[in-house]
Amino acid sequence: MFLYLNGDYIKSEEAAISPFDHGFLYGLGLFETFRTYHGHPFLLDDHFHRLHEGAKAIGIELPEYKREDTCRIIHQLLELNNLEDGYFRWNVSAGEREIGLSHENYFSPNTIVIVKPLPQQTPREKEAVFLQTTRNTPEGTNRLKSHHFLNNLLGKRELGDQPGTEGIFLTENGEIAEGIVSNIYWVKKGTLYTPSEDSGALNGITRQFILKLAETTGLNTEEGLYGPESLLSAEEAFISNSIQEITALSSVKGRKLPGANGCSFKLISAEYKKHLTSLWSRLELTGRGID
């Protein structure tokens, strides 16, 4: 496979960065995962808005985002790898500096863009279980899409090889946070609930889009801190991420749910699919551009 590294397209086995990169030494790095639909990178502007906000928070200086330049890299990688569409990881690490914590900004980050084939099928339904591994608190004010992924890895190791199941993190206080690689939602009496960022959950790009989409379909939305009993008493529930899209939950902790037959799931999924080949930002749903 070919990847992109700091302006060059090279074979993956030829890629190398310095061992003094502070993304490697101290986890000072960020990434975005997204996919294309008939060549269109869905919600690309939202992904890069988050990437730039995260970089600013940890002192990585990035060049101004230009959609045309970014799309050129995306389409070149698709062509080089003989792919119509792909699963992209756009990775930025702080760059090379001497060993030791630094208080100064990083002006020469490494940018690595990796593409791989999309999964042939993504499940429409999964079961959910609560993990014993608790969700750690963010390193800063809010959780960033950063290289600090040990908590997720420990959750995955606890769950094991169960592709039809998603593990759900609870906070130290026993509140629902998110899945190992997903945000979670449930519906009760016409209201869509999802844990707030105060739970330590990542404010996923697909999460933001679903909340905006729910408003257009007439569903009320509520973000907050909720115990497991709130989810266990739900009428239906689902999870989301940018690659697997929206996946219905057929059960939570053994309690059966309607899964893909849930009315709200079907409504939101149908609306979601209408925009996959056109939208650059969730804000276009209300006629706005990215802030």
Side-chain angles (χ1 to χ4, degrees):
M1 298 292 285
F2 285 87
L3 55 76
Y4 173 92
L5 173 60
N6 295 334
D8 295 319
Y9 300 92
I10 59 176
K11 292 183 178 180
S12 56
E13 60 269 23
E14 298 172 357
I17 60 172
S18 167
F20 291 97
D21 187 317
H22 278 205
F24 168 69
L25 290 176
Y26 301 112
L28 280 172
L30 302 159
F31 68 98
E32 293 290 332
T33 54
F34 56 89
R35 58 182 289 177
T36 59
Y37 295 87
H38 300 298
H40 175 72
F42 182 51
L43 301 179
L44 185 71
D45 291 1
D46 289 350
H47 280 285
F48 273 80
H49 180 73
R50 181 173 67 178
L51 181 67
H52 279 253
E53 289 294 304
K56 182 178 178 181
I58 62 176
I60 297 177
E61 300 282 347
L62 294 180
E64 179 185 358
Y65 165 59
K66 295 182 179 179
R67 183 195 294 171
E68 296 79 7
D69 294 340
T70 304
C71 285
R72 191 176 301 113
I73 294 168
I74 291 167
H75 293 143
Q76 184 66 27
L77 284 174
L78 288 174
E79 182 177 341
L80 286 170
N81 290 293
N82 296 311
L83 296 172
E84 179 182 354
D85 284 305
Y87 171 141
F88 283 84
R89 172 168 166 144
W90 194 290
N91 197 90
V92 173
S93 60
E96 186 176 351
R97 191 164 287 180
E98 289 298 319
I99 292 177
L101 299 181
S102 176
H103 66 278
E104 297 178 346
N105 281 6
Y106 295 83
F107 294 94
S108 300
N110 286 310
T111 297
I112 304 172
V113 187
I114 301 167
V115 63
K116 69 176 187 178
L118 288 162
Q120 290 188 349
Q121 285 186 321
T122 55
R124 292 198 72 209
E125 293 186 345
K126 285 189 176 184
E127 299 176 346
V129 296
F130 294 119
L131 297 168
Q132 294 298 311
T133 305
T134 57
R135 193 57 171 122
N136 63 352
T137 55
E139 290 79 13
T141 304
N142 298 310
R143 186 171 301 283
L144 302 179
K145 187 87 169 179
S146 76
H147 288 184
H148 293 272
F149 239 58
L150 179 60
N151 196 208
N152 301 68
L153 178 60
L154 293 175
K156 179 63 176 176
R157 288 177 65 86
E158 178 187 335
L159 182 67
D161 185 18
Q162 297 189 63
T165 303
E166 176 65 308
I168 306 299
F169 286 114
L170 302 178
T171 68
E172 193 175 59
N173 295 326
E175 296 144 344
I176 300 167
E178 61 184 352
I180 296 173
V181 291
S182 65
N183 289 116
I184 186 166
Y185 320 79
W186 58 96
V187 178
K188 289 195 289 188
K189 297 180 180 179
T191 296
L192 178 72
Y193 295 87
T194 194
S196 68
E197 290 182 79
D198 292 335
S199 70
L202 178 72
N203 190 13
I205 297 302
T206 305
R207 175 186 184 274
Q208 295 173 47
F209 181 65
I210 287 173
L211 289 173
K212 186 67 67 175
L213 199 61
E215 294 174 12
T216 69
T217 64
L219 272 174
N220 299 316
T221 62
E222 184 177 306
E223 302 174 59
L225 298 174
Y226 310 102
E229 66 281 353
S230 180
L231 175 57
L232 291 170
S233 62
E235 297 162 12
E236 56 181 298
F238 51 90
I239 55 177
S240 74
N241 67 34
S242 294
I243 304 302
Q244 296 183 20
E245 304 171 332
I246 308 173
T247 304
L249 294 179
S250 58
S251 69
V252 178
K253 200 183 177 182
R255 179 181 178 268
K256 296 296 183 182
L257 291 169
N261 292 318
C263 294
S264 296
F265 170 77
K266 289 195 286 188
L267 175 63
I268 291 177
S269 294
E271 290 299 314
Y272 185 92
K273 292 182 184 301
K274 291 179 181 179
H275 303 285
L276 298 176
T277 60
S278 60
L279 284 193
W280 299 97
S281 169
R282 71 190 183 283
L283 299 179
E284 293 176 86
L285 287 174
T286 52
R288 297 167 57 201
I290 195 75
D291 290 332

